[in-house]
Amino acid sequence: MRVGSMTHQKGLFISFEGVDGSGKSTQARMLYDHLRSIGYPVTLTREPGDWSEGRKLRDILLNGDLKHGKTELFLFLADRCENLSQVIIPSLSRGEVVLCDRYTDSTLAYQCFGRGFNLEEVESLFCWSGFPVPDITLLLSISQEESLSRMKGRGTSDRLESDLSLMSKVSLGFRSLSDRYPDRICILDGEGNPDKVFSRVLEAVERIFW
Ligand code: TYD
């Protein structure tokens, strides 16, 4: 079943996914700079929190002391509703390329595979909310050892990142999602230096552009 079945008519919607430390934010930024430099209208956004008042929600999500098991899930969905209305849909309607650093697959990987929510139920919430499906999802894959060492290098970790058993479930979750949606999710080797990884990103994107 293809979920979040709202289609968008214009623009190109690309999501970046991966475990923490996979380098997707760096790659999303590199693609943004590249597309701009060759004249494409492009918008870069990230979840959670990249809309007018999103910082407050992001802070609660990453650092809040949440008690009810479903609050986290609903806040990620609420955040996405605003990001779609304020940023993603307007940009797609103008015919832009939208690059989104984390999107629905993060919810499936973290809240379903990680926290144990039922995948079909959460996907039906995506549908009910009218979340558009990305044209392509670039999933940056790195080993757990590499992810841990990159996170250590960063020094700080948030509420989700510091939960190691969650991280290993999330990593397996992303793999299962790529099997579930092979036409949309493109797995890319995220190991190696950023330029090397970017050449893989560009190759994948060029396949859909041209
Ligand atoms: P962030 O600091 O943006 O991490 P990264 O730079 O690795 O993207 O934190 C976002 C965190 O939120 C990250 O641990 C993944 C998590 N997350 C979910 O659990 N569900 C979601 O739907 C989204 C969008 C993110």
Short mmCIF file of all heavy atoms in Angstrom, two decimals, residues 29-60:
data_model
loop_
_atom_site.label_atom_id
_atom_site.label_comp_id
_atom_site.label_asym_id
_atom_site.label_seq_id
_atom_site.Cartn_x
_atom_site.Cartn_y
_atom_site.Cartn_z
N ARG A 29 22.37 19.62 2.84
CA ARG A 29 22.91 20.97 2.64
C ARG A 29 23.77 21.04 1.36
O ARG A 29 23.69 21.99 0.59
CB ARG A 29 23.71 21.36 3.90
CG ARG A 29 24.63 22.53 3.79
CD ARG A 29 23.93 23.86 3.52
NE ARG A 29 22.98 24.24 4.57
CZ ARG A 29 22.22 25.35 4.54
NH1 ARG A 29 22.31 26.20 3.53
NH2 ARG A 29 21.38 25.62 5.50
N MET A 30 24.57 19.99 1.14
CA MET A 30 25.42 19.99 -0.06
C MET A 30 24.56 19.95 -1.32
O MET A 30 24.85 20.63 -2.31
CB MET A 30 26.39 18.79 -0.03
CG MET A 30 27.51 18.96 0.98
SD MET A 30 28.52 17.47 1.18
CE MET A 30 29.73 17.69 -0.13
N LEU A 31 23.48 19.17 -1.28
CA LEU A 31 22.61 19.11 -2.46
C LEU A 31 21.90 20.45 -2.67
O LEU A 31 21.76 20.92 -3.80
CB LEU A 31 21.59 17.97 -2.30
CG LEU A 31 20.69 17.74 -3.52
CD1 LEU A 31 21.50 17.42 -4.78
CD2 LEU A 31 19.68 16.61 -3.25
N TYR A 32 21.50 21.05 -1.57
CA TYR A 32 20.86 22.38 -1.64
C TYR A 32 21.80 23.38 -2.33
O TYR A 32 21.41 24.06 -3.28
CB TYR A 32 20.51 22.83 -0.21
CG TYR A 32 20.02 24.25 -0.11
CD1 TYR A 32 18.68 24.56 -0.40
CD2 TYR A 32 20.86 25.27 0.29
CE1 TYR A 32 18.22 25.87 -0.31
CE2 TYR A 32 20.41 26.58 0.39
CZ TYR A 32 19.09 26.86 0.09
OH TYR A 32 18.64 28.16 0.18
N ASP A 33 23.04 23.43 -1.85
CA ASP A 33 24.01 24.38 -2.44
C ASP A 33 24.24 24.06 -3.91
O ASP A 33 24.32 24.97 -4.75
CB ASP A 33 25.35 24.30 -1.68
CG ASP A 33 25.24 24.87 -0.27
OD1 ASP A 33 24.28 25.62 0.00
OD2 ASP A 33 26.10 24.53 0.58
N HIS A 34 24.35 22.78 -4.22
CA HIS A 34 24.62 22.39 -5.60
C HIS A 34 23.45 22.79 -6.52
O HIS A 34 23.67 23.40 -7.59
CB HIS A 34 24.84 20.87 -5.67
CG HIS A 34 24.99 20.35 -7.07
ND1 HIS A 34 26.13 20.52 -7.81
CD2 HIS A 34 24.10 19.70 -7.87
CE1 HIS A 34 25.96 19.98 -9.01
NE2 HIS A 34 24.74 19.48 -9.07
N LEU A 35 22.23 22.46 -6.12
CA LEU A 35 21.08 22.76 -6.99
C LEU A 35 20.92 24.27 -7.18
O LEU A 35 20.61 24.74 -8.27
CB LEU A 35 19.79 22.14 -6.41
CG LEU A 35 19.75 20.60 -6.44
CD1 LEU A 35 18.49 20.09 -5.75
CD2 LEU A 35 19.82 20.06 -7.87
N ARG A 36 21.14 25.01 -6.10
CA ARG A 36 21.06 26.48 -6.23
C ARG A 36 22.11 26.99 -7.20
O ARG A 36 21.86 27.86 -8.02
CB ARG A 36 21.30 27.13 -4.86
CG ARG A 36 20.02 27.25 -4.06
CD ARG A 36 20.31 27.95 -2.79
NE ARG A 36 20.77 29.31 -3.06
CZ ARG A 36 20.19 30.39 -2.58
NH1 ARG A 36 19.15 30.28 -1.80
NH2 ARG A 36 20.66 31.57 -2.84
N SER A 37 23.32 26.41 -7.09
CA SER A 37 24.41 26.92 -7.93
C SER A 37 24.15 26.65 -9.41
O SER A 37 24.66 27.35 -10.27
CB SER A 37 25.75 26.31 -7.50
OG SER A 37 25.82 24.97 -7.96
N ILE A 38 23.31 25.64 -9.72
CA ILE A 38 23.02 25.41 -11.14
C ILE A 38 21.64 25.96 -11.51
O ILE A 38 21.08 25.63 -12.55
CB ILE A 38 23.16 23.91 -11.55
CG1 ILE A 38 22.28 23.01 -10.69
CG2 ILE A 38 24.61 23.46 -11.49
CD1 ILE A 38 22.23 21.56 -11.19
N GLY A 39 21.09 26.78 -10.62
CA GLY A 39 19.91 27.57 -10.98
C GLY A 39 18.55 26.97 -10.65
O GLY A 39 17.53 27.52 -11.08
N TYR A 40 18.51 25.89 -9.88
CA TYR A 40 17.20 25.34 -9.51
C TYR A 40 16.63 26.10 -8.31
O TYR A 40 17.36 26.39 -7.36
CB TYR A 40 17.31 23.86 -9.11
CG TYR A 40 17.29 22.93 -10.29
CD1 TYR A 40 18.48 22.51 -10.88
CD2 TYR A 40 16.09 22.48 -10.83
CE1 TYR A 40 18.48 21.66 -11.97
CE2 TYR A 40 16.08 21.63 -11.93
CZ TYR A 40 17.28 21.23 -12.49
OH TYR A 40 17.27 20.39 -13.57
N PRO A 41 15.32 26.38 -8.34
CA PRO A 41 14.70 26.94 -7.13
C PRO A 41 14.57 25.81 -6.11
O PRO A 41 13.99 24.76 -6.41
CB PRO A 41 13.32 27.42 -7.62
CG PRO A 41 13.05 26.65 -8.86
CD PRO A 41 14.37 26.19 -9.44
N VAL A 42 15.13 25.99 -4.94
CA VAL A 42 15.17 24.88 -3.98
C VAL A 42 14.97 25.37 -2.56
O VAL A 42 15.40 26.46 -2.20
CB VAL A 42 16.49 24.06 -4.17
CG1 VAL A 42 17.70 24.93 -4.17
CG2 VAL A 42 16.66 22.96 -3.15
N THR A 43 14.26 24.57 -1.78
CA THR A 43 14.03 24.88 -0.37
C THR A 43 14.56 23.73 0.47
O THR A 43 14.32 22.57 0.14
CB THR A 43 12.50 25.04 -0.11
OG1 THR A 43 12.06 26.20 -0.77
CG2 THR A 43 12.19 25.16 1.38
N LEU A 44 15.27 24.10 1.53
CA LEU A 44 15.78 23.08 2.45
C LEU A 44 15.07 23.24 3.78
O LEU A 44 15.00 24.34 4.33
CB LEU A 44 17.30 23.30 2.64
CG LEU A 44 18.01 22.44 3.68
CD1 LEU A 44 17.93 20.95 3.35
CD2 LEU A 44 19.48 22.87 3.81
N THR A 45 14.51 22.14 4.27
CA THR A 45 13.86 22.21 5.59
C THR A 45 14.23 20.97 6.38
O THR A 45 14.77 20.01 5.81
CB THR A 45 12.33 22.35 5.43
OG1 THR A 45 11.74 22.49 6.72
CG2 THR A 45 11.70 21.16 4.73
N ARG A 46 13.99 20.99 7.68
CA ARG A 46 14.29 19.80 8.47
C ARG A 46 13.21 19.60 9.53
O ARG A 46 12.54 20.56 9.94
CB ARG A 46 15.65 19.92 9.15
CG ARG A 46 15.67 20.91 10.27
CD ARG A 46 16.86 20.70 11.18
NE ARG A 46 16.83 21.71 12.23
CZ ARG A 46 17.70 21.80 13.21
NH1 ARG A 46 18.69 20.94 13.27
NH2 ARG A 46 17.62 22.72 14.13
N GLU A 47 13.05 18.38 9.94
CA GLU A 47 12.09 18.07 11.00
C GLU A 47 12.84 17.46 12.18
O GLU A 47 13.80 16.71 11.97
CB GLU A 47 11.04 17.08 10.49
CG GLU A 47 10.20 17.69 9.38
CD GLU A 47 8.98 16.82 9.02
OE1 GLU A 47 8.82 15.73 9.60
OE2 GLU A 47 8.20 17.25 8.17
N PRO A 48 12.43 17.75 13.40
CA PRO A 48 11.33 18.62 13.74
C PRO A 48 11.77 20.08 13.87
O PRO A 48 12.93 20.36 14.09
CB PRO A 48 10.90 18.08 15.12
CG PRO A 48 12.17 17.58 15.74
CD PRO A 48 12.99 17.05 14.59
N GLY A 49 10.80 20.99 13.70
CA GLY A 49 10.97 22.36 14.17
C GLY A 49 11.27 23.46 13.19
O GLY A 49 11.42 24.60 13.61
N ASP A 50 11.30 23.19 11.89
CA ASP A 50 11.74 24.23 10.95
C ASP A 50 10.58 25.06 10.39
O ASP A 50 10.41 25.15 9.19
CB ASP A 50 12.54 23.56 9.83
CG ASP A 50 13.56 24.50 9.21
OD1 ASP A 50 13.66 25.64 9.67
OD2 ASP A 50 14.25 24.08 8.26
N TRP A 51 9.79 25.62 11.26
CA TRP A 51 8.70 26.51 10.84
C TRP A 51 8.60 27.62 11.88
O TRP A 51 9.36 27.59 12.85
CB TRP A 51 7.38 25.75 10.68
CG TRP A 51 7.04 24.81 11.79
CD1 TRP A 51 7.49 23.53 11.95
CD2 TRP A 51 6.24 25.09 12.94
NE1 TRP A 51 7.00 22.99 13.11
CE2 TRP A 51 6.22 23.92 13.74
CE3 TRP A 51 5.50 26.20 13.38
CZ2 TRP A 51 5.51 23.83 14.94
CZ3 TRP A 51 4.79 26.10 14.56
CH2 TRP A 51 4.79 24.94 15.32
N SER A 52 7.71 28.60 11.66
CA SER A 52 7.77 29.84 12.44
C SER A 52 7.97 29.64 13.95
O SER A 52 8.82 30.26 14.54
CB SER A 52 6.52 30.68 12.18
OG SER A 52 5.38 29.92 12.53
N GLU A 53 7.16 28.76 14.56
CA GLU A 53 7.32 28.60 16.01
C GLU A 53 7.82 27.20 16.38
O GLU A 53 7.62 26.73 17.49
CB GLU A 53 5.99 28.90 16.70
CG GLU A 53 5.63 30.36 16.57
CD GLU A 53 4.29 30.65 17.20
OE1 GLU A 53 4.25 30.80 18.43
OE2 GLU A 53 3.31 30.69 16.45
N GLY A 54 8.43 26.58 15.38
CA GLY A 54 8.83 25.19 15.55
C GLY A 54 9.91 24.93 16.59
O GLY A 54 10.05 23.82 17.09
N ARG A 55 10.68 25.96 16.91
CA ARG A 55 11.77 25.74 17.88
C ARG A 55 11.26 25.28 19.23
O ARG A 55 11.88 24.47 19.90
CB ARG A 55 12.59 27.03 18.07
CG ARG A 55 13.44 27.40 16.87
CD ARG A 55 14.48 28.45 17.24
NE ARG A 55 15.55 27.88 18.05
CZ ARG A 55 16.58 27.18 17.55
NH1 ARG A 55 16.66 26.98 16.25
NH2 ARG A 55 17.50 26.71 18.34
N LYS A 56 10.06 25.80 19.58
CA LYS A 56 9.50 25.43 20.89
C LYS A 56 9.15 23.95 20.90
O LYS A 56 9.44 23.22 21.84
CB LYS A 56 8.23 26.25 21.17
CG LYS A 56 8.47 27.73 21.33
CD LYS A 56 7.16 28.47 21.53
CE LYS A 56 7.25 29.89 21.00
NZ LYS A 56 5.95 30.50 20.78
N LEU A 57 8.51 23.53 19.80
CA LEU A 57 8.12 22.12 19.70
C LEU A 57 9.37 21.23 19.64
O LEU A 57 9.42 20.16 20.26
CB LEU A 57 7.26 21.95 18.44
CG LEU A 57 6.29 20.78 18.39
CD1 LEU A 57 5.53 20.64 19.69
CD2 LEU A 57 5.29 21.01 17.24
N ARG A 58 10.36 21.67 18.89
CA ARG A 58 11.61 20.90 18.79
C ARG A 58 12.26 20.72 20.17
O ARG A 58 12.73 19.65 20.52
CB ARG A 58 12.57 21.62 17.83
CG ARG A 58 13.89 20.90 17.64
CD ARG A 58 14.79 21.59 16.63
NE ARG A 58 16.10 21.01 16.67
CZ ARG A 58 16.47 19.91 16.00
NH1 ARG A 58 15.63 19.32 15.19
NH2 ARG A 58 17.68 19.41 16.13
N ASP A 59 12.25 21.80 20.93
CA ASP A 59 12.87 21.73 22.25
C ASP A 59 12.12 20.72 23.14
O ASP A 59 12.74 19.90 23.83
CB ASP A 59 12.88 23.13 22.88
CG ASP A 59 13.63 23.11 24.19
OD1 ASP A 59 14.71 22.47 24.24
OD2 ASP A 59 13.14 23.68 25.19
N ILE A 60 10.80 20.74 23.07
CA ILE A 60 10.03 19.78 23.89
C ILE A 60 10.33 18.36 23.41
O ILE A 60 10.57 17.45 24.21
CB ILE A 60 8.52 20.05 23.79
CG1 ILE A 60 8.18 21.44 24.33
CG2 ILE A 60 7.72 18.97 24.52
CD1 ILE A 60 6.75 21.89 24.08
#
